[in-house]
Amino acid sequence: FTRWSPLRPLVVMAEANALHLSRRDLGYVGFVQLDYELTQGLHLGATGEALDAGRVRGAGSDQSKSPGAGEPRLGGWLTASWFFLPHCDLRVDAIARQNEAFTLLSQLHVFL
């Protein structure tokens, strides 16, 4: 995990993890995220992600590689977050992942 701010309004965050699952080859998951504060309280972001859970091992398993199982499955997010009041924010994400339907997600957070 790393977090770095090369410029005052920009933050770069990255994370990588190894995945060890029973009856699978070693896999990994990771992402790189850019967060830019356009103006106070309004953030725009972009995220790239990769997942490889490893190929299934053992009798009867298909040994061919596929995205997410033996080769990386890629995805990307575009995000807008608005912190409109203290302890309140609204977030909208557009999510595209390999071999999955496009997703548009909105969230309202209210917290103490």
Side-chain angles (χ1 to χ4, degrees), residues 40-43 80-85 88-92 108:
Q40 186 175 349
L42 182 59
H43 292 249
S81 298
W82 178 36
F83 297 84
F84 57 92
L85 288 171
C88 298
D89 70 270
L90 177 65
R91 176 178 171 146
V92 178
L108 173 65

Side-chain angles (χ1 to χ4, degrees), residues 13-58:
M13 186 168 63
E15 182 176 328
N17 296 286
L19 296 177
H20 175 58
L21 302 169
S22 298
R23 290 175 262 145
R24 285 185 176 263
D25 294 335
L26 188 64
Y28 61 88
V29 63
F31 72 89
V32 174
Q33 182 179 63
L34 302 175
D35 182 331
Y36 185 81
E37 187 175 40
L38 192 60
T39 187
Q40 186 175 349
L42 182 59
H43 292 249
L44 301 177
T47 304
E49 60 182 20
L51 163 69
D52 180 356
R55 289 190 306 177
V56 176
R57 290 179 287 163

Side-chain angles (χ1 to χ4, degrees), residues 43-80:
H43 292 249
L44 301 177
T47 304
E49 60 182 20
L51 163 69
D52 180 356
R55 289 190 306 177
V56 176
R57 290 179 287 163
S61 65
D62 179 8
Q63 293 298 311
S64 63
K65 292 181 179 181
S66 64
E71 64 182 46
R73 184 175 73 181
L74 305 175
W77 298 50
L78 293 176
T79 302

